[in-house]
Structures are given as C-alpha cells and as structure tokens.
Amino acid sequence: MLLRSLHFTGEEAPPFTLKGSLFTLTVLHLFQLDRAALERHLAEKIKQAPSFFNNTPVVIDLEGMTDSPEGLDFNGLYELLRAHGMVPVGIRNGTPMQQAAARLAGLPALPESRPANNGKKPERTEAMRSRIVNHPIRSGQQIYAAEGDLIVVGAVSAGAEVIADGNIHIYGALRGRALAGVRGAIETRIFCQSLEAELVSIAGRYQISEQIDPTDRGKATQIHLVEDRLIIEHLNR
Amino acid sequence: MATIIVVTSGKGGVGKTTTSASFATGLAQRGYRTVVIDFDVGLRNLDLIMGCERRVVYDFVNVINNEANLNQALIRDKRVENLYILPASQTRDKEALTKEGVERVLNELKAGFDYIVCDSPAGIERGALMALYFADQALVVTNPEVSSVRDSDRILGILASKSLRAEQGDEPVKEYLVLARYAPERADRGDMLSVNDVLEILGIPLLGVIPESQTVLQSSNAGVPVILEDSSEAGAAYSDLVDRFLGKDLPHRFTSAQKKGFLQRLFGGS
C-alpha cells in the first residue's frame, strides 16, 4: 500500500521537466571516411591521451569533407568511434542526404553554432549609429544625429542646436536647444551635466527656458517623457 | 614661414582694431617681422589707429586686383622697426576680397614676414570670413557682456567649421580669448560678466584681459597703438598679452578691483 500511495503521489508531480542547458562538447571534424586511416589515427591519439577517450561524447562535423558521398555509412562510423572510446551524440553540417542518413543511425543534426557570423563583417549595431562630437557646439551650429544617439563631449552653447532621432547625451553644459526623438521616438531622453537650455524637446513635446523650473537650472539632469509630459530629473542626487 | 593670426569677434566695437594694432606692434617690438592687414574694406580704420592714414597710396584691394604690387601698398611704421601695415580700401566693398586674391597676397607676404595679423571686420559676412579663412591662430576679442560673448561663440563655431584648416581636416585653428574693456569693479557688482563667466561659456584659453581705460580712446584718436603707452594699464595689459602669446607664463593683471587708497577716495581719482 505504501508503494502504491507513493506511486500515486509520483503521478501527481510530473516525473521530469525539460530545461535548456549548454555543454562543451568535443567536435570531430571529419575530412574523409577512410576506415583504415581513421583507425590508424585514432589509435595514435588514444596513445597520446588515453584518459580522454573514456566514453567521451563527440559531435561529428561534416563541413570539411573533401569527398561528399551522399550515403555515408553512419552505422559503421558510429561503431568505429564507440570502439575507440567515443560516443557520437550528433552531427553538424553536411548535406540534407547525409543528415537523413545520420538520423537513421540515431544521430541528430545539431544546429550550426556560429550563425551568420562566419567570416562576415559584424552587423552594424545600434551603438555604431551613435554620433559622437568631441568639441563644443557653438552658437549658430546645428548637429543632427540621424537614426541614432548624439553624444557631445563639450558644451552646447546658447544659440546652438543639437538634434537626434535617438537620445542626446551632453558631457558639458546645455545652453542651447536640444531635441531628442525628432522622428517621434517617445522613449528617448536628454542627458546633460548642467541644464541651462533655451529649449528641450522629446518627440515634439517641448519646454522653453521660461518653463524650466529655476531649481533645475544648472543641475545635472535627465529629461524624459512620462504620459506626454516632460519630466526633468536630477542626476547624482 | 609666417604664422597667420586673425583678430576677430563677430560683434563690432569690441576692440578688434585696437587689439590688432597693439598686438602687431608688440610682436614687431620684440623683433618679429610683422604685417597687419585691414580686412575692413569700405570702413577702413586700422590706418587711423596706427597713425599712418596720410601715407596710404595703394591698398589691399589694389594688390588683389594687380593694380599695385605689395611693396607699393605696404606702409612701413615710423615708430617700430619690422612693422608694416596693409591698409584697406575705403572706396570698395567686401566683394572685392576674393579667396584666390587673398590667398595670393598672403602667400606673397608669408615669404617676408614672421607674423601676419589679419584685422577682421565685424559680422560674419564675406570680409570676416576671408579674414579668418587662412588663419593658423585666432585672437577672439570679447567684451564682458552677454551679446558680445554670444557673437564670439558664433565666430568660434565658424573658425571650427569654415576655415581652410577645418575644410582640409588639418589641426584646428588655435583659439585665444582677449577680454577687452574689462572693469573689475563692475564685474564684482554683477553689472558685467566676470572673467570666469566668460571663460566658462567660451571655454578657450585666456590670452589677456584689457582693462577699460581712457587711454585707449585717447591713443586711438592720436593714432598711437595703446601698447606704446607704457605707463597705462591697457598698454601694460597688451604687453603682457604679446609675451603670453610668445610663450611666457605671466599672471593676469587688472582682473580684480583695486582697493582705493585714502587719498584716491578723497580726491575721487580713478
């Protein structure tokens, strides 16, 4: 009875859960399926590091196959590797025919681990669209950062205008106009080390100098939109 | 090879020509072959302040138009050796200043001089643009008031974007601040911007503070660059400025209000 009841409680709680996890696996890059040569080289490797070949799981990578016979003998390969202390757990790359043959031998095709990044240039990222200006923006100058953030290392003078589709960061005093999110991005913000602006605007909602609370003037601030209202927050409180 | 220095400000009446005259005179006094060019075509003033207006035969525009050669147009200063003046034309306008013409004249001058001082007209139009276009260094003259500082800021932006150095992506024009007509007592009272206020807004190195002084007006009417008035505060300030430009490390004078002595207060001297 005791066993029975235990059995029942076992049914209440599921006997397993599925979770993703990452493993480091040894990959065997196969260049040609020459049984004799394989055996010879494997024996040599085992001599060098016998402890390594102790039921070690391996993935067989077919990318480097010089001759690509459609019907690879995966059963034979499986036996050969098993006999040398390796346990094949799957294959990588290879033609669809090879993958089908591997599946029949109980070896699933694993997805490529280096997607898209193989020898190609890295994608242009958000960060690279930022425009960085390393000098002060003087009266009468206008700087626009299209499709990204504008970062100014220096002050923005009265009579100058800084505009960005993204956020605006000013490492200096903001004395001119700053317009962030000019193409309507309401989540954009303006950051400055000293708020002395003539005008600040986010996604078209603006405040002019007169409307800025005198207690915010000269302070390090960030400005953002909350429910369509410009909020000025002090940094380093 | 000569260094080209523009004296500019954006705003008019702040002391560009006074500064150009004294700065060029100071460089020449220290042994450098110096020429000062008046870019204010149509409103020529530099020759008056340098006291050589009665010796003008040919001018800058004549040289640009090949109507005279440089030797005919350059006026040698009578008081200071190594100092030459290239006056502006009073009868033309600034359209006469072509980029090619100005460049040709400057290149010719470069061969014979150490320093070429370009006295810019006010504004940000052709005359001012031509005066600063070829500059290696700039003296930006500002008065301690908001509008003057704003205009200087604008000029600094133009130096950083429209000069030859900016266009070619060379090392940027070296910028120096000259704060003229400064009255420490009024700055202390808050009637005027202080030296620090101006420096904070413009953010360029301070080359000199020239105190507000009657001597400037008197000497300019007399056609004597104020730097030659050794005993005056303004003259001494310009002297310091030239030394600083040439690399001497001097403390700034005339930036704080002097406590008036008993006798001075009694007799109201200033």
Side-chain angles (χ1 to χ4, degrees):
Chain A
M1 289 304 280
L2 188 66
L3 270 173
R4 208 180 156 74
S5 62
L6 266 179
H7 185 70
F8 269 109
T9 49
E11 268 189 357
E12 289 296 306
F16 64 85
T17 57
L18 283 172
K19 276 185 184 169
S21 191
L22 289 169
F23 299 95
T24 304
L25 287 175
T26 305
V27 178
L28 183 128
H29 292 272
L30 195 63
F31 304 130
Q32 52 190 19
L33 196 55
D34 177 344
R35 228 191 136 84
L38 265 175
E39 238 167 327
R40 201 168 56 248
H41 281 94
L42 278 171
E44 217 169 282
K45 287 271 178 217
I46 292 166
K47 219 187 284 172
Q48 287 168 12
S51 59
F52 181 77
F53 297 94
N54 181 17
N55 288 324
T56 307
V58 294
V59 175
I60 303 160
D61 193 321
L62 303 173
E63 197 181 17
M65 289 289 282
T66 43
D67 52 339
S68 267
E70 287 300 323
L72 268 176
D73 176 15
F74 282 102
N75 282 318
L77 184 62
Y78 185 89
E79 293 307 323
L80 178 72
L81 294 175
R82 282 293 284 149
H84 288 88
M86 283 181 271
V87 186
V89 295
I91 65 152
R92 196 165 71 180
N93 296 313
T95 65
M97 280 287 278
Q98 289 169 339
Q99 289 180 359
R103 211 161 33 242
L104 283 176
L107 293 172
L110 302 177
E112 260 192 279
S113 61
R114 298 156 293 173
N117 209 4
N118 216 344
K120 278 180 237 156
K121 269 196 203 162
E123 287 278 305
R124 224 172 126 78
T125 60
E126 286 297 317
M128 292 170 77
R129 278 206 290 265
S130 303
R131 180 167 176 195
I132 301 182
V133 181
N134 272 312
H135 54 77
I137 314 294
R138 303 290 185 180
S139 180
Q141 289 183 314
Q142 192 185 57
I143 305 280
Y144 173 47
E147 290 176 41
D149 292 356
L150 177 60
I151 299 162
V152 180
V153 186
V156 175
S157 290
E161 207 166 58
V162 286
I163 306 166
D165 290 345
N167 305 296
I168 296 176
H169 305 254
I170 299 160
Y171 295 96
L174 169 57
R175 301 193 177 99
R177 297 160 160 245
L179 299 92
V182 287
R183 290 221 233 144
I186 55 167
E187 74 284 1
T188 54
R189 296 183 178 207
I190 297 168
F191 303 83
C192 64
Q193 287 188 328
S194 176
L195 179 66
E196 300 160 42
E198 294 171 328
L199 177 147
V200 287
S201 161
I202 290 172
R205 280 66 154 185
Y206 67 88
Q207 273 189 12
I208 55 172
S209 181
E210 257 184 12
Q211 299 166 314
I212 296 174
D213 191 325
T215 58
D216 295 330
R217 291 194 77 83
K219 299 284 174 14
T221 50
Q222 66 161 323
I223 301 157
H224 57 110
L225 272 182
V226 177
E227 287 166 1
D228 237 31
R229 286 189 49 225
L230 279 179
I231 302 294
I232 298 174
E233 262 176 44
H234 294 194
L235 300 169
N236 3 293
R237 273 172 292 186
Chain B
M1 199 62 165
T3 303
I4 302 177
I5 302 142
V6 61
V7 178
T8 186
S9 71
K11 201 173 177 62
V14 295
K16 280 183 299 298
T17 301
T18 300
T19 299
S20 297
S22 281
F23 181 62
T25 303
L27 288 171
Q29 277 180 320
R30 284 153 184 78
Y32 296 98
R33 289 179 57 82
T34 306
V35 56
V36 53
I37 309 175
D38 190 350
F39 273 78
D40 207 349
V41 176
L43 293 167
R44 83 173 205 229
N45 281 166
L46 180 69
D47 50 329
L48 292 170
I49 292 188
M50 296 292 291
C52 65
E53 73 279 9
R54 290 190 295 174
R55 291 194 287 145
V56 175
V57 183
Y58 294 108
D59 57 50
F60 191 21
V61 173
N62 290 138
V63 183
I64 286 174
N65 293 342
N66 286 314
E67 293 152 3
N69 66 37
L70 260 180
N71 288 333
Q72 292 172 296
L74 282 176
I75 302 171
R76 200 171 68 82
D77 191 84
K78 279 185 173 168
R79 296 159 297 221
V80 181
E81 227 182 308
N82 301 317
L83 181 60
Y84 291 80
I85 299 112
L86 185 54
S89 169
Q90 184 71 348
T91 54
R92 311 292 272 270
D93 62 38
K94 305 214 170 31
E95 296 312 305
L97 297 173
T98 62
K99 199 179 272 184
E100 298 71 31
V102 172
E103 186 175 21
R104 203 195 72 241
V105 176
L106 288 175
N107 280 337
E108 253 181 84
L109 288 169
K110 271 183 184 178
F113 288 93
D114 299 315
Y115 290 107
I116 302 171
V117 179
C118 302
D119 180 23
S120 172
I124 51 172
E125 278 74 46
R126 183 164 200 92
L129 290 179
M130 280 303 105
L132 67 79
Y133 186 74
F134 296 99
D136 302 307
Q137 311 200 13
L139 305 195
V140 177
V141 185
T142 302
N143 291 166
E145 57 156 318
V146 178
S147 61
S148 172
V149 173
R150 175 79 61 96
D151 290 0
S152 294
D153 193 58
R154 180 92 168 93
I155 277 289
L156 286 167
I158 292 172
L159 279 164
S161 60
K162 294 201 173 141
S163 62
L164 178 66
R165 278 173 175 271
E167 283 181 6
Q168 290 189 339
D170 293 343
E171 204 179 308
V173 178
K174 212 186 248 177
E175 301 148 343
Y176 297 104
L177 180 66
V178 177
L179 189 55
R181 311 185 84 160
Y182 191 69
E185 311 81 35
R186 296 180 58 196
D188 287 354
R189 284 204 304 267
D191 297 350
M192 260 184 190
L193 296 178
S194 72
V195 177
N196 284 335
D197 291 339
V198 179
L199 283 176
E200 202 187 298
I201 296 171
L202 294 180
I204 58 171
L206 178 66
L207 195 61
V209 178
I210 313 301
E212 172 99 81
S213 159
Q214 282 298 315
T215 323
V216 174
L217 184 65
Q218 288 157 6
S219 68
S220 97
N221 282 336
V224 179
V226 72
I227 196 170
L228 295 175
E229 307 282 355
D230 301 332
S231 56
S232 73
E233 286 192 348
Y238 272 118
S239 224
D240 284 2
L241 179 151
V242 174
D243 285 333
R244 264 185 226 112
F245 179 83
L246 293 171
K248 263 197 200 168
D249 188 15
L250 297 174
H252 287 281
R253 296 193 271 172
F254 318 116
T255 55
S256 51
Q258 306 262 316
K259 291 265 183 295
K260 280 188 178 174
F262 170 73
L263 283 174
Q264 268 183 308
R265 260 184 287 154
L266 203 61
F267 296 110
S270 64

